[in-house]
């Protein structure tokens, strides 16, 4: 899907924890979110040479965030998608990559 996508994340409850990431595609945004999660795992487990996770671990990570929203450019307007939509799309994305 070649649709410009903005990921809005707020890890904490305070507004100053808000951040965003900008991608040219929805698929790129999915990869970016997985990268954020993997970076966090490495920070939490610096001595492990290899880190593995499953989709539930990723969902739990998203659930720790006060807000996760994707804005996808569709027909000239950005459409907001919820955290639940993001979870479903990441699952589909990773499933396609595993084939």
């Amino acid at each position: 899907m070649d649709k410009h996508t903005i990921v809005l994340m707020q890890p904490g409850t305070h507004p100053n924890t808000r951040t965003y990431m900008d991608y040219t595609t929805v698929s790129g945004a999915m990869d970016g979110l997985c990268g954020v999660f993997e970076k966090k795992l490495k920070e939490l487990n610096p001595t492990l040479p290899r880190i593995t996770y499953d989709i539930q671990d990723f969902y739990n990570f998203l659930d720790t965030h006060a807000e996760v929203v994707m804005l996808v450019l569709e027909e000239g307007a950005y459409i907001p998608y919820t955290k639940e939509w993001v979870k479903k799309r990441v699952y589909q994305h990773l499933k396609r990559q595993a084939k």
Side-chain angles (χ1 to χ4, degrees), residues 38 40-46 48-53:
E38 290 166 3
K40 186 66 174 177
L41 287 176
K42 288 176 186 175
E43 287 173 9
L44 295 172
N45 303 284
L48 291 180
R50 184 167 173 242
I51 298 171
T52 59
Y53 64 90

Side-chain angles (χ1 to χ4, degrees), residues 25-44:
T25 64
V26 174
S27 180
M30 298 300 162
D31 288 336
L33 270 178
C34 290
V36 168
F37 175 56
E38 290 166 3
K39 182 179 175 187
K40 186 66 174 177
L41 287 176
K42 288 176 186 175
E43 287 173 9
L44 295 172

Side-chain angles (χ1 to χ4, degrees), residues 4-93:
H4 186 257
T5 304
I6 300 169
V7 179
L8 305 172
M9 296 180 75
Q10 183 175 335
T13 56
H14 197 277
N16 72 356
T17 65
R18 291 177 182 153
T19 189
Y20 76 94
M21 298 169 287
D22 182 33
Y23 300 94
T24 56
T25 64
V26 174
S27 180
M30 298 300 162
D31 288 336
L33 270 178
C34 290
V36 168
F37 175 56
E38 290 166 3
K39 182 179 175 187
K40 186 66 174 177
L41 287 176
K42 288 176 186 175
E43 287 173 9
L44 295 172
N45 303 284
T47 60
L48 291 180
R50 184 167 173 242
I51 298 171
T52 59
Y53 64 90
D54 64 24
I55 195 68
Q56 190 59 52
D57 296 325
F58 183 79
Y59 292 165
N60 292 342
F61 169 72
L62 289 182
D63 286 338
T64 66
H65 286 68
E67 195 69 55
V68 176
V69 175
M70 279 194 180
L71 301 174
V72 180
L73 184 60
E74 297 185 19
E75 299 178 24
Y78 283 94
I79 307 300
Y81 290 97
T82 66
K83 189 186 300 185
E84 292 308 311
W85 182 88
V86 171
K87 287 179 182 180
K88 289 176 188 172
R89 290 301 301 261
V90 166
Y91 176 77
Q92 293 168 353
H93 179 74

